[in-house]
CSV table of all heavy atoms in Angstrom, one decimal:
chain,number,residue,atom,x,y,z
A,253,SER,N,32.0,-9.9,7.4
A,253,SER,CA,33.0,-10.1,8.5
A,253,SER,C,33.1,-8.9,9.4
A,253,SER,O,33.3,-9.1,10.6
A,253,SER,CB,34.4,-10.5,7.9
A,253,SER,OG,34.8,-9.5,7.0
A,254,ASN,N,33.1,-7.7,8.9
A,254,ASN,CA,33.2,-6.5,9.7
A,254,ASN,C,31.9,-6.3,10.5
A,254,ASN,O,30.8,-6.2,10.0
A,254,ASN,CB,33.5,-5.3,8.8
A,254,ASN,CG,33.7,-4.0,9.7
A,254,ASN,OD1,32.7,-3.4,10.1
A,254,ASN,ND2,34.9,-3.6,9.9
A,255,ALA,N,32.1,-6.3,11.9
A,255,ALA,CA,30.9,-6.2,12.8
A,255,ALA,C,30.0,-5.0,12.5
A,255,ALA,O,28.8,-5.1,12.5
A,255,ALA,CB,31.4,-6.3,14.2
A,256,ASP,N,30.7,-3.8,12.4
A,256,ASP,CA,29.9,-2.6,12.2
A,256,ASP,C,29.1,-2.6,10.8
A,256,ASP,O,28.0,-2.2,10.8
A,256,ASP,CB,30.8,-1.3,12.2
A,256,ASP,CG,31.4,-1.1,13.6
A,256,ASP,OD1,30.7,-1.5,14.6
A,256,ASP,OD2,32.5,-0.5,13.7
A,257,GLU,N,29.8,-3.0,9.8
A,257,GLU,CA,29.2,-3.1,8.5
A,257,GLU,C,28.0,-4.2,8.5
A,257,GLU,O,27.0,-4.0,7.8
A,257,GLU,CB,30.2,-3.5,7.4
A,257,GLU,CG,31.2,-2.3,7.1
A,257,GLU,CD,32.3,-2.8,6.2
A,257,GLU,OE1,32.2,-3.9,5.6
A,257,GLU,OE2,33.2,-2.0,6.0
A,258,ARG,N,28.3,-5.2,9.2
A,258,ARG,CA,27.2,-6.3,9.3
A,258,ARG,C,26.0,-5.7,10.0
A,258,ARG,O,24.9,-6.0,9.6
A,258,ARG,CB,27.8,-7.5,10.1
A,258,ARG,CG,26.9,-8.7,10.1
A,258,ARG,CD,27.6,-9.9,10.7
A,258,ARG,NE,28.1,-9.6,12.0
A,258,ARG,CZ,29.2,-10.1,12.5
A,258,ARG,NH1,30.0,-10.9,11.8
A,258,ARG,NH2,29.6,-9.8,13.7
A,259,LEU,N,26.2,-5.0,11.1
A,259,LEU,CA,25.1,-4.4,11.8
A,259,LEU,C,24.3,-3.4,10.9
A,259,LEU,O,23.1,-3.4,10.9
A,259,LEU,CB,25.6,-3.7,13.1
A,259,LEU,CG,24.6,-3.3,14.1
A,259,LEU,CD1,23.9,-4.5,14.7
A,259,LEU,CD2,25.2,-2.4,15.2
A,260,GLU,N,25.0,-2.6,10.2
A,260,GLU,CA,24.4,-1.7,9.2
A,260,GLU,C,23.5,-2.5,8.2
A,260,GLU,O,22.4,-2.1,7.9
A,260,GLU,CB,25.5,-0.9,8.5
A,260,GLU,CG,26.1,0.2,9.3
A,260,GLU,CD,25.4,1.6,9.2
A,260,GLU,OE1,24.4,1.6,8.5
A,260,GLU,OE2,26.0,2.5,9.8
A,261,ALA,N,24.1,-3.5,7.7
A,261,ALA,CA,23.4,-4.3,6.7
A,261,ALA,C,22.2,-5.0,7.2
A,261,ALA,O,21.1,-5.0,6.6
A,261,ALA,CB,24.4,-5.4,6.1
A,262,VAL,N,22.3,-5.5,8.5
A,262,VAL,CA,21.1,-6.1,9.1
A,262,VAL,C,20.0,-5.1,9.3
A,262,VAL,O,18.8,-5.3,9.1
A,262,VAL,CB,21.5,-6.7,10.5
A,262,VAL,CG1,20.3,-7.1,11.3
A,262,VAL,CG2,22.4,-8.0,10.3
A,263,HIS,N,20.4,-3.9,9.7
A,263,HIS,CA,19.4,-2.8,9.9
A,263,HIS,C,18.7,-2.5,8.6
A,263,HIS,O,17.5,-2.3,8.6
A,263,HIS,CB,20.1,-1.5,10.4
A,263,HIS,CG,19.3,-0.3,10.3
A,263,HIS,ND1,19.4,0.6,9.3
A,263,HIS,CD2,18.3,0.1,11.1
A,263,HIS,CE1,18.5,1.5,9.5
A,263,HIS,NE2,17.8,1.3,10.6
A,264,ASP,N,19.5,-2.4,7.5
A,264,ASP,CA,18.9,-2.0,6.2
A,264,ASP,C,17.9,-3.1,5.8
A,264,ASP,O,16.8,-2.7,5.2
A,264,ASP,CB,20.0,-1.9,5.2
A,264,ASP,CG,20.8,-0.6,5.4
A,264,ASP,OD1,20.4,0.3,6.2
A,264,ASP,OD2,21.9,-0.6,4.8
A,265,VAL,N,18.1,-4.3,6.0
A,265,VAL,CA,17.2,-5.4,5.6
A,265,VAL,C,16.0,-5.4,6.5
A,265,VAL,O,14.9,-5.6,6.1
A,265,VAL,CB,17.9,-6.8,5.6
A,265,VAL,CG1,16.9,-7.8,5.1
A,265,VAL,CG2,19.2,-6.8,4.8
A,266,LEU,N,16.2,-5.1,7.8
A,266,LEU,CA,15.0,-5.0,8.7
A,266,LEU,C,14.0,-4.0,8.2
A,266,LEU,O,12.8,-4.2,8.4
A,266,LEU,CB,15.5,-4.5,10.1
A,266,LEU,CG,16.0,-5.6,11.1
A,266,LEU,CD1,16.5,-4.9,12.4
A,266,LEU,CD2,14.9,-6.5,11.5
A,267,MET,N,14.4,-2.9,7.6
A,267,MET,CA,13.5,-1.9,7.1
A,267,MET,C,12.7,-2.4,5.9
A,267,MET,O,11.7,-1.7,5.5
A,267,MET,CB,14.3,-0.7,6.7
A,267,MET,CG,15.0,0.1,7.9
A,267,MET,SD,13.8,0.7,9.1
A,267,MET,CE,14.0,-0.5,10.4
A,268,LEU,N,13.0,-3.5,5.4
A,268,LEU,CA,12.3,-4.1,4.2
A,268,LEU,C,11.2,-5.0,4.7
A,268,LEU,O,10.3,-5.4,3.8
A,268,LEU,CB,13.2,-4.9,3.3
A,268,LEU,CG,14.4,-4.1,2.7
A,268,LEU,CD1,15.3,-5.0,1.9
A,268,LEU,CD2,13.9,-2.9,1.8
A,269,LEU,N,11.1,-5.3,6.0
A,269,LEU,CA,10.1,-6.2,6.5
A,269,LEU,C,8.7,-5.5,6.4
A,269,LEU,O,8.6,-4.3,6.7
A,269,LEU,CB,10.4,-6.7,7.9
A,269,LEU,CG,11.5,-7.7,8.1
A,269,LEU,CD1,11.8,-7.8,9.6
A,269,LEU,CD2,11.1,-9.0,7.5
A,270,PRO,N,7.6,-6.3,6.1
A,270,PRO,CA,6.3,-5.7,6.3
A,270,PRO,C,6.1,-5.2,7.7
A,270,PRO,O,6.6,-5.8,8.6
A,270,PRO,CB,5.4,-6.9,5.9
A,270,PRO,CG,6.2,-7.8,5.2
A,270,PRO,CD,7.6,-7.7,5.7
A,271,PRO,N,5.3,-4.1,7.9
A,271,PRO,CA,5.2,-3.5,9.2
A,271,PRO,C,4.8,-4.5,10.3
A,271,PRO,O,5.4,-4.4,11.4
A,271,PRO,CB,4.1,-2.4,9.0
A,271,PRO,CG,4.2,-2.1,7.6
A,271,PRO,CD,4.6,-3.3,6.8
A,272,ALA,N,3.8,-5.3,10.1
A,272,ALA,CA,3.4,-6.3,11.1
A,272,ALA,C,4.5,-7.3,11.5
A,272,ALA,O,4.6,-7.6,12.7
A,272,ALA,CB,2.1,-7.0,10.7
A,273,HIS,N,5.3,-7.7,10.5
A,273,HIS,CA,6.4,-8.6,10.7
A,273,HIS,C,7.5,-7.9,11.5
A,273,HIS,O,8.1,-8.4,12.5
A,273,HIS,CB,6.9,-9.1,9.4
A,273,HIS,CG,6.1,-10.1,8.7
A,273,HIS,ND1,6.4,-11.4,8.6
A,273,HIS,CD2,4.8,-9.9,8.2
A,273,HIS,CE1,5.4,-12.0,7.9
A,273,HIS,NE2,4.5,-11.2,7.7
A,274,TYR,N,7.8,-6.6,11.2
A,274,TYR,CA,8.8,-5.8,11.9
A,274,TYR,C,8.4,-5.7,13.3
A,274,TYR,O,9.2,-5.9,14.2
A,274,TYR,CB,8.9,-4.5,11.2
A,274,TYR,CG,9.9,-3.5,11.9
A,274,TYR,CD1,11.2,-3.4,11.5
A,274,TYR,CD2,9.4,-2.7,12.9
A,274,TYR,CE1,12.1,-2.5,12.2
A,274,TYR,CE2,10.2,-1.8,13.6
A,274,TYR,CZ,11.6,-1.8,13.2
A,274,TYR,OH,12.4,-0.9,13.9
A,275,GLU,N,7.2,-5.3,13.6
A,275,GLU,CA,6.7,-5.0,14.9
A,275,GLU,C,6.7,-6.3,15.8
A,275,GLU,O,7.1,-6.2,17.0
A,275,GLU,CB,5.3,-4.4,14.9
A,275,GLU,CG,4.6,-4.2,16.3
A,275,GLU,CD,5.4,-3.4,17.2
A,275,GLU,OE1,6.2,-2.5,16.8
A,275,GLU,OE2,5.2,-3.6,18.5
A,276,THR,N,6.3,-7.4,15.2
A,276,THR,CA,6.4,-8.7,15.9
A,276,THR,C,7.8,-9.1,16.3
A,276,THR,O,8.1,-9.5,17.4
A,276,THR,CB,5.7,-9.8,15.1
A,276,THR,OG1,4.4,-9.4,14.8
A,276,THR,CG2,5.7,-11.1,15.8
A,277,LEU,N,8.7,-8.9,15.3
A,277,LEU,CA,10.1,-9.2,15.6
A,277,LEU,C,10.7,-8.3,16.6
A,277,LEU,O,11.4,-8.8,17.5
A,277,LEU,CB,10.9,-9.1,14.2
A,277,LEU,CG,12.3,-9.6,14.3
A,277,LEU,CD1,12.4,-11.1,14.5
A,277,LEU,CD2,13.0,-9.3,12.9
A,278,ARG,N,10.4,-7.0,16.5
A,278,ARG,CA,10.9,-6.1,17.5
A,278,ARG,C,10.4,-6.5,19.0
A,278,ARG,O,11.3,-6.5,19.9
A,278,ARG,CB,10.3,-4.7,17.2
A,278,ARG,CG,10.8,-3.6,18.1
A,278,ARG,CD,10.0,-2.3,17.9
A,278,ARG,NE,8.7,-2.4,18.4
A,278,ARG,CZ,8.4,-2.3,19.7
A,278,ARG,NH1,9.3,-2.0,20.6
A,278,ARG,NH2,7.1,-2.4,20.1
A,279,TYR,N,9.2,-6.8,19.1
A,279,TYR,CA,8.6,-7.1,20.4
A,279,TYR,C,9.2,-8.4,20.9
A,279,TYR,O,9.6,-8.5,22.1
A,279,TYR,CB,7.1,-7.3,20.3
A,279,TYR,CG,6.4,-7.4,21.6
A,279,TYR,CD1,6.2,-6.3,22.4
A,279,TYR,CD2,5.8,-8.6,22.0
A,279,TYR,CE1,5.5,-6.4,23.6
A,279,TYR,CE2,5.1,-8.8,23.2
A,279,TYR,CZ,5.0,-7.7,24.0
A,279,TYR,OH,4.3,-7.8,25.2
A,280,LEU,N,9.4,-9.4,20.1
A,280,LEU,CA,10.0,-10.7,20.5
A,280,LEU,C,11.5,-10.4,20.9
A,280,LEU,O,11.9,-11.0,21.9
A,280,LEU,CB,10.0,-11.7,19.3
A,280,LEU,CG,10.6,-13.0,19.5
A,280,LEU,CD1,9.9,-13.8,20.7
A,280,LEU,CD2,10.6,-13.9,18.3
A,281,MET,N,12.2,-9.6,20.2
A,281,MET,CA,13.6,-9.4,20.5
A,281,MET,C,13.8,-8.7,21.9
A,281,MET,O,14.7,-9.0,22.6
A,281,MET,CB,14.4,-8.6,19.4
A,281,MET,CG,14.5,-9.4,18.1
A,281,MET,SD,15.4,-11.0,18.4
A,281,MET,CE,14.2,-12.1,17.6
A,282,ILE,N,12.9,-7.8,22.2
A,282,ILE,CA,12.9,-7.1,23.5
A,282,ILE,C,12.7,-8.2,24.6
A,282,ILE,O,13.4,-8.2,25.6
A,282,ILE,CB,11.8,-6.0,23.5
A,282,ILE,CG1,12.2,-4.8,22.6
A,282,ILE,CG2,11.6,-5.5,25.0
A,282,ILE,CD1,11.1,-3.8,22.5
A,283,HIS,N,11.8,-9.1,24.3
A,283,HIS,CA,11.5,-10.2,25.3
A,283,HIS,C,12.7,-11.1,25.4
A,283,HIS,O,13.1,-11.4,26.5
A,283,HIS,CB,10.3,-11.0,24.8
A,283,HIS,CG,10.2,-12.3,25.4
A,283,HIS,ND1,9.9,-12.5,26.8
A,283,HIS,CD2,10.3,-13.6,24.9
A,283,HIS,CE1,9.9,-13.8,27.1
A,283,HIS,NE2,10.1,-14.4,26.0
A,284,LEU,N,13.3,-11.5,24.3
A,284,LEU,CA,14.5,-12.4,24.3
A,284,LEU,C,15.7,-11.7,25.0
A,284,LEU,O,16.5,-12.4,25.6
A,284,LEU,CB,14.8,-12.9,22.9
A,284,LEU,CG,13.8,-13.8,22.3
A,284,LEU,CD1,14.3,-14.3,20.9
A,284,LEU,CD2,13.4,-15.0,23.1
A,285,LYS,N,15.8,-10.4,24.9
A,285,LYS,CA,16.9,-9.7,25.6
A,285,LYS,C,16.7,-9.8,27.1
A,285,LYS,O,17.6,-10.0,27.9
A,285,LYS,CB,16.9,-8.2,25.2
A,285,LYS,CG,18.0,-7.4,25.7
A,285,LYS,CD,19.3,-7.9,25.1
A,285,LYS,CE,20.5,-6.9,25.4
A,285,LYS,NZ,20.5,-5.7,24.6
A,286,LYS,N,15.4,-9.8,27.6
A,286,LYS,CA,15.1,-10.0,29.0
A,286,LYS,C,15.4,-11.4,29.4
A,286,LYS,O,15.9,-11.6,30.5
A,286,LYS,CB,13.6,-9.7,29.2
A,286,LYS,CG,13.2,-8.3,29.1
A,286,LYS,CD,11.7,-8.2,29.3
A,286,LYS,CE,11.2,-6.8,29.0
A,286,LYS,NZ,9.7,-6.6,29.1
A,287,VAL,N,15.2,-12.4,28.5
A,287,VAL,CA,15.6,-13.8,28.8
A,287,VAL,C,17.1,-13.8,29.1
A,287,VAL,O,17.6,-14.5,30.0
A,287,VAL,CB,15.2,-14.7,27.7
A,287,VAL,CG1,15.7,-16.1,27.9
A,287,VAL,CG2,13.7,-14.8,27.5
A,288,THR,N,17.9,-13.2,28.2
A,288,THR,CA,19.4,-13.2,28.4
A,288,THR,C,19.8,-12.5,29.7
A,288,THR,O,20.9,-12.9,30.2
A,288,THR,CB,20.1,-12.6,27.2
A,288,THR,OG1,19.8,-11.2,27.1
A,288,THR,CG2,19.7,-13.3,25.9
A,289,MET,N,19.1,-11.6,30.1
A,289,MET,CA,19.4,-10.9,31.4
A,289,MET,C,19.3,-11.8,32.6
A,289,MET,O,19.7,-11.4,33.7
A,289,MET,CB,18.6,-9.6,31.5
A,289,MET,CG,18.9,-8.5,30.5
A,289,MET,SD,17.7,-7.2,30.3
A,289,MET,CE,17.9,-6.4,31.9
A,290,ASN,N,18.6,-12.9,32.4
A,290,ASN,CA,18.4,-13.9,33.5
A,290,ASN,C,19.3,-15.1,33.2
A,290,ASN,O,18.9,-16.2,33.7
A,290,ASN,CB,17.0,-14.2,33.7
A,290,ASN,CG,16.1,-13.1,34.2
A,290,ASN,OD1,16.0,-13.0,35.4
A,290,ASN,ND2,15.6,-12.3,33.4
A,291,GLU,N,20.3,-15.0,32.5
A,291,GLU,CA,21.1,-16.1,32.0
A,291,GLU,C,21.7,-16.9,33.2
A,291,GLU,O,21.8,-18.1,33.1
A,291,GLU,CB,22.3,-15.6,31.1
A,291,GLU,CG,23.2,-16.7,30.6
A,291,GLU,CD,24.4,-16.3,29.9
A,291,GLU,OE1,24.6,-15.0,29.7
A,291,GLU,OE2,25.3,-17.1,29.6
A,292,LYS,N,22.0,-16.3,34.3
A,292,LYS,CA,22.6,-17.0,35.4
A,292,LYS,C,21.6,-18.0,36.0
A,292,LYS,O,22.1,-19.0,36.6
A,292,LYS,CB,23.1,-16.0,36.5
A,292,LYS,CG,22.0,-15.2,37.2
A,292,LYS,CD,22.6,-14.3,38.2
A,292,LYS,CE,21.6,-13.3,38.8
A,292,LYS,NZ,20.5,-14.1,39.5
A,293,ASP,N,20.3,-17.8,35.8
A,293,ASP,CA,19.3,-18.8,36.3
A,293,ASP,C,18.9,-19.7,35.1
A,293,ASP,O,18.7,-20.9,35.4
A,293,ASP,CB,18.1,-18.0,36.8
A,293,ASP,CG,18.5,-17.2,38.1
A,293,ASP,OD1,19.0,-17.8,39.0
A,293,ASP,OD2,18.2,-16.0,38.1
A,294,ASN,N,18.6,-19.1,33.9
A,294,ASN,CA,18.0,-20.0,32.9
A,294,ASN,C,19.1,-20.6,31.9
A,294,ASN,O,18.7,-21.4,31.1
A,294,ASN,CB,17.0,-19.2,32.1
A,294,ASN,CG,17.5,-17.9,31.4
A,294,ASN,OD1,18.6,-17.9,30.9
A,294,ASN,ND2,16.7,-16.9,31.4
């Protein structure tokens, strides 16, 4: 429930992903952040 602790926990689990999975997820999230920056249109 605590937002800061949740963020810490998500980060810790991210570090358990295999490298190729981590890198793919990282790249996709950077892209999806760009999608949200165009929210007024999309």
Side-chain angles (χ1 to χ4, degrees):
S253 56
N254 181 280
D256 291 334
E257 291 176 8
R258 186 170 59 214
L259 194 63
E260 287 267 3
V262 169
H263 166 263
D264 289 344
V265 187
L266 274 174
M267 294 298 104
L268 301 177
L269 287 172
H273 287 248
Y274 175 93
E275 172 57 26
T276 301
L277 188 63
R278 183 193 70 83
Y279 190 73
L280 177 64
M281 292 305 125
I282 291 171
H283 164 64
L284 294 182
K285 188 67 170 282
K286 292 178 186 175
V287 173
T288 65
M289 291 166 68
N290 290 272
E291 182 190 351
K292 63 181 177 61
D293 296 303
N294 60 38

